Amino acid sequence: MRRIVTMLFASLFLLTIGPLRAQEAETLVLIETDKGKIKVKLYNDTPLHRDNFIKNVNEHRYDGLLFHRVIKQFMIQAGDINSKDAPPDMHLGDGDLDYTIPAEIVYPKHFHKRGALCAARTSDDVNPERASSATQFYIVTGQFYTEMELDKMTKEKGMRFTPEQKEAYMLEGGRPDLDGKYTVFGEVVSGMKAVDKIQFVETNAEDRPVENIKIKTMRIVTK
């Protein structure tokens, strides 16, 4: 009898944790660009951004769009819906859909380390709620910081860093000045070489690559 009860309890336990494990699985997206493949995972604790990004991917919204803003030791940005086949002299950066995504700033758990996938947005003066663009996103490349520089930020700007943040900014790089201001909703899991190829291209006065770099396709993958 005791054995039967134990087996029933084990079965119920497995049935209970099964759905939880399924919910914990993070969505992977493969971004194929002119400079190589970038694979990102989407965080489950930023569900509005996750689901919107998946929707855009499934609707092929990003296919053919350009990386329209590239700044060395900072980030690479894409998602302007007007950038597809845009002529070289065309100003880019304003193209978007007719809605925004409410901010999901999960800080300090998610921060602007190298490889962070983040939502672009308009500035605080017109967007105090820090709502995100429906389509535009950026991937952090960033720079390295010394412990002394991070301590100086703490002293002069009141910024506080967790041990994880400090280690990441010192060993991998990032942009701590953006922390708590933009939604970080994923990260690169492979393909940072492609990201770096993009960040080091020649750009014009508006930070647009002189030679167009496009997103060929995006798709959901399982591994």
Side-chain angles (χ1 to χ4, degrees):
M1 181 66 179
R2 182 178 297 175
R3 183 180 179 186
I4 293 173
V5 171
T6 303
M7 290 175 66
L8 285 171
F9 178 81
S11 298
L12 288 171
F13 179 74
L14 289 172
L15 287 171
T16 302
I17 66 170
L20 292 177
R21 284 177 177 169
Q23 291 173 5
E24 290 171 358
E26 292 172 311
T27 303
L28 298 175
V29 179
L30 184 64
I31 307 171
E32 294 195 40
T33 79
D34 287 333
K35 296 295 184 180
K37 297 178 181 180
I38 306 165
K39 187 185 296 182
V40 299
K41 69 176 180 181
L42 309 180
Y43 299 144
N44 288 330
D45 53 5
T46 52
L48 299 178
H49 286 74
R50 176 199 63 200
D51 293 349
N52 182 72
F53 198 77
I54 290 172
K55 177 178 179 290
N56 286 336
V57 171
N58 286 337
E59 292 178 352
H60 304 283
R61 182 80 64 183
Y62 292 118
D63 295 2
L65 299 188
L66 303 180
F67 283 93
H68 65 272
R69 186 170 179 239
V70 172
I71 303 176
K72 295 178 182 65
Q73 295 186 312
F74 185 13
M75 57 86 211
I76 63 173
Q77 184 171 333
D80 182 331
I81 61 173
N82 298 326
S83 67
K84 189 173 183 178
D85 301 320
D89 58 345
M90 180 177 173
H91 169 75
L92 296 175
D94 300 324
D96 210 338
L97 299 179
D98 59 356
Y99 66 93
T100 57
I101 310 298
E104 294 180 295
I105 300 173
V106 186
Y107 181 78
K109 181 180 179 182
H110 302 320
F111 55 96
H112 284 75
K113 63 184 178 182
R114 172 176 163 83
L117 173 66
C118 316
R121 64 174 179 84
T122 52
S123 59
D124 285 358
D125 57 340
V126 296
N127 179 23
E129 297 84 9
R130 295 176 171 172
S132 302
S133 162
T135 59
Q136 293 198 34
F137 66 91
Y138 61 95
I139 297 173
V140 175
T141 53
Q143 62 188 60
F144 294 100
Y145 290 82
T146 65
E147 187 171 16
M148 185 178 296
E149 288 172 323
L150 295 175
D151 289 344
K152 186 177 180 181
M153 288 182 186
T154 297
K155 183 178 180 181
E156 296 182 356
K157 300 181 181 180
M159 299 176 68
R160 295 288 185 270
F161 301 104
T162 65
E164 182 185 5
Q165 284 176 285
K166 273 194 164 185
E167 182 178 5
Y169 288 137
M170 292 170 63
L171 300 181
E172 301 172 31
R175 291 297 302 217
D177 52 312
L178 301 181
D179 283 344
K181 301 174 183 177
Y182 296 79
T183 296
V184 180
F185 66 98
E187 65 182 80
V188 174
V189 295
S190 66
M192 280 305 293
K193 285 185 178 179
V195 174
D196 285 336
K197 285 181 182 178
I198 296 171
Q199 81 153 321
F200 290 120
V201 300
E202 182 183 357
T203 56
N204 64 19
E206 292 191 328
D207 300 315
R208 175 179 169 179
V210 173
E211 178 186 347
N212 283 346
I213 302 170
K214 69 180 180 181
I215 297 170
K216 294 179 178 180
T217 62
M218 274 200 205
R219 67 179 187 274
I220 308 298
V221 295
T222 57
K223 61 179 180 179

